[in-house]
Amino acid sequence: SVDRVETSHSAESCMEEALLRLNWDNAYAGGTVNLSSVTCTIGITGTGNTRTVTVSSLLNGGTYSYTADVTLSPFAVIEWSY
């Protein structure tokens, strides 16, 4: 459905935003991002050089989530899943 595609694309955009913010600031802890009619929640866990970033987007009652494992130095995405 269109809502599912929009929710998926929004979750991907939010993941990209979360990765940019984490790359700029290794202490970034996540939060809420609003994109158009979609709200995304970003959660970041982990210690040392690794983090797990989880993003969920919500639109019209539907949720779509992505998870990425990253290293901070050098900054790299190790795995990205949904």
Side-chain angles (χ1 to χ4, degrees), residues 15 18 28-32 41-45 51-56 66 68:
M15 177 60 81
Y28 177 63
T32 302
T41 303
I42 300 168
I44 299 178
T45 59
R51 298 290 186 276
T52 298
V53 180
T54 304
V55 171
S56 296
Y66 281 107

Side-chain angles (χ1 to χ4, degrees), residues 23-44:
N23 190 21
W24 292 331
D25 177 6
N26 289 344
Y28 177 63
T32 302
V33 175
N34 294 310
L35 297 174
S36 234
S37 58
V38 179
T39 300
C40 297
T41 303
I42 300 168
I44 299 178

